[in-house]
Amino acid sequence: MVGCQECRAEEEMGDIYTPKLSHKTLTAPAPFADETSCQCQAPHEKLTIAQARLGTPVDRPVRVYADGIFDLFHSGHARALMQAKTLFPNSYLLVGVCSDDLTHKFKGFTVMNETERYEALRHCRYVDEVIRDAPWTLTPEFLEKHKIDFVAHDDIPYSSAGSDDVYKHIKEAGMFVPTQRTEGISTSDIITRIVRDYDVYARRNLQRGYTAKELNVSFINEKKYRFQNQVDKMKEKVKNVEEKSKEFVYKVEEKSHDLIQKWEEKSREFIGNFLELFGPDGAWKQMFQERSGRMLQALSPRQSPTSSPTRGRSPSRSPSPTFPWLPNKTSPPSSPKAASASISSMSEGDEDEK
C-alpha cells in the first residue's frame, strides 16, 4: 500500500505530482498510512542509491522510510527528517512511529503518549505520510507493504531487542542511507535538564496554578516551594528597588551637576554686577560723589556776587543800637576772667532794675 497522494497524482495530475504533493504537505497535516483507501497499481521497480541520486521520474518518487520514538519532538528530530527528505531529488518520506506498548517494552517510559507523538510528526513539514504502530525491527513484509526503497537513520549501531544493530540486515541489503545526528539536543538531554532542575520547574508550575496533587508534590515540599517563591519575589523586589535607586542617584547626580553649572554661571554674573555697582569705578561711587557734592553745595553759604550795581557806592551805615547789658559781639572776651566779669555785671544791672 502506498500513499493516497501518489495515486491521486497518477490519476488526476499526471506529471505534476511533485508540486501537488509539496503544496499539500505545507498546507495540511500528513496523512496516516492506514487511513488511505486507494491501492497503487503502478509498477515499483527496485532502485539503487546511484539511480535514486540521479533522479527518478516525477510519478516515481523515491520512497524513504525513517522511524523512531520521537518523544518530546525537538529540532534534532526535525533535522534528521529534513536530511531524509532531501537525500534524493525526488523523494517521498514515510515516518514510522512506535506505539506506547512497544516503546515501554524495549526503551522505557515516554513523556508524550503515542497519539501526541503521532500528531507531532504529522505537522512536521518534511513528512509526507505517518505510519502508526511501526515495528521495532523492520521485516521484509513491512518493507514490501509500504513499497519502501531506502531506510534513513544515523549510522551509529542501534542495539535493542537482543540485537547488536536492528538495522544490520537493512545495511546488508543496500537499503540503508545514513543521516547525521544533531549534537547537543536529544530527548534524554531534555529529560535530564528537567530532573536536574526539578525544584525549579515544580515551583514554576505551582506559580502557574497547578496543584501539589497534580505535580505529585508532598505537603511539606509544597510549603517549601511556596516559601521559596515568596523569597524569590522579595529578592526581585529588592533588586528592582536597587536598580531604581541607582537610576535615581544617577538622575540626582546629573541634576546636581546641572545645578552646579548654573550656580557657577549665576555667581559669575552676580560678582560681575556687584563689581560694576560697588567697584572702584562703580556706579555707586559715582552716585555717592554726585550726592556728596550736592549736599556740600547746599550747606556752604552763598558768596556775594562779585559784580553788583551798588558796589561803587559807599552806603551809609545806620548806627546799630547799643545795649549796655549785652556783651559786645564784635569784641569777644579775651579771657575766661573777662567773660565772668561781664556776666556778673549783667546780673548786677538786672538787680538794680528790680
Side-chain angles (χ1 to χ4, degrees), residues 67-85:
D67 60 359
I69 310 302
F70 302 105
D71 191 21
L72 297 175
F73 189 81
H74 52 75
S75 61
H77 295 140
R79 287 176 62 86
L81 297 176
M82 180 187 69
Q83 293 177 60
K85 176 68 176 176

Side-chain angles (χ1 to χ4, degrees), residues 141-185:
E141 293 77 15
F142 179 83
L143 297 174
E144 179 61 28
K145 175 183 178 180
H146 295 284
K147 306 297 183 189
I148 295 171
D149 293 310
F150 301 101
V151 176
H153 199 274
D154 63 79
D155 203 14
I156 301 173
Y158 193 85
S159 58
S160 181
S163 174
D164 294 336
D165 188 2
V166 296
Y167 296 105
K168 183 178 180 181
H169 63 291
I170 302 296
K171 294 175 181 178
E172 292 174 349
M175 297 177 63
F176 186 85
V177 184
T179 57
Q180 298 295 322
R181 291 178 64 89
T182 301
E183 297 297 330
I185 182 69

Side-chain angles (χ1 to χ4, degrees), residues 10 62 101 150 255 306:
E10 290 179 352
V62 179
D101 292 339
F150 301 101
K255 289 185 177 180
T306 55

Side-chain angles (χ1 to χ4, degrees), residues 334-345:
S334 59
S335 64
K337 291 182 180 181
S340 61
S342 62
I343 292 171
S344 61
S345 64

